[in-house]
Amino acid sequence: MKFAFIVACVASACLASAFTLGSVSPAHAQLGGLLARRVSVPEISVAQVRKMQQQHQKQVDSAKKQEMPTPDPAFVLVDARSPEETEVSVIPGAITVKQFEAQQEKFAGTTVIAYCTSGYRSDRYAAKLIDKGIKAKNMKASILGWCAAKLPLETLDRKPTNRVHTYSSQNTVPKIYEAIH
């Protein structure tokens, strides 16, 4: 009983600090979900996202070959990490939350696939979108899973990179990447 009270107090403090600071603190990322309302967020795997990217690229290549307009993808990858993290790298084609929210009407009817470092922040962001009536999914394992599959990364200006912000030194990636934390 005493332990449950302590956990509830710590979680409440984390939630309060997160709302006060306007961001998600590391402690809130670990404990805040204990008290939060839970919206069911569909998940999508790294392999499924990669397959969708490849299928869309085939459609684009085919359209260009036939001198037709290039089709818009049926999804948009939204990186729910902090600006400091997204400045290091993103998954190819991804945009930031700020970019998505600035041009949300452009993506009407499109499935938002959110990701972060490991999946917590993107799950929360996808839940927020679902609450607003937007179709959204959370990418399981997020960018750490992407890197575990040894898939490419790029900068926000679409240049290839092997650098990835891992949020914490406890998060590891294959040696083909340079971990930044």
Side-chain angles (χ1 to χ4, degrees), residues 3-47:
F3 177 74
F5 177 74
I6 291 169
V7 170
C9 288
V10 170
S12 293
C14 291
L15 285 172
S17 69
F19 290 121
T20 302
L21 299 173
S23 64
V24 177
S25 68
H28 176 260
Q30 296 298 316
L31 298 172
L34 293 175
L35 300 177
R37 182 175 75 102
R38 181 74 178 133
V39 173
S40 180
V41 176
E43 291 186 321
I44 187 167
S45 71
V46 167

Side-chain angles (χ1 to χ4, degrees), residues 32-61:
L34 293 175
L35 300 177
R37 182 175 75 102
R38 181 74 178 133
V39 173
S40 180
V41 176
E43 291 186 321
I44 187 167
S45 71
V46 167
Q48 289 170 309
V49 171
R50 187 62 176 159
K51 185 176 181 180
M52 291 169 68
Q53 284 180 320
Q54 291 170 330
Q55 288 173 338
H56 178 69
Q57 188 58 52
K58 283 181 185 176
Q59 293 170 344
V60 168
D61 293 345

Side-chain angles (χ1 to χ4, degrees), residues 72 95 99-110 112 134:
D72 290 329
I95 61 174
Q99 291 169 322
F100 173 74
E101 291 179 355
Q103 53 184 340
Q104 202 168 337
E105 65 284 343
K106 175 181 174 183
F107 301 105
T110 304
V112 174
I134 297 169

Side-chain angles (χ1 to χ4, degrees), residues 134-173:
I134 297 169
K135 187 175 178 184
K137 295 182 179 186
N138 182 36
M139 188 169 81
K140 291 187 285 190
S142 287
I143 205 164
L144 292 177
W146 188 266
C147 291
K150 298 182 179 176
L151 295 170
L153 295 172
E154 65 184 21
T155 61
L156 283 171
D157 59 354
R158 307 298 175 215
K159 293 186 174 114
T161 186
N162 71 332
R163 300 175 77 225
V164 60
H165 199 296
T166 60
Y167 187 78
S168 164
S169 60
Q170 294 178 348
N171 294 326
T172 59
V173 292

Side-chain angles (χ1 to χ4, degrees), residues 80-89 96 98 121 156 165:
R81 297 176 302 150
S82 72
E84 294 79 21
E85 292 168 287
T86 59
E87 286 173 11
V88 174
S89 65
T96 65
K98 185 176 180 180
R121 291 176 286 173
L156 283 171
H165 199 296

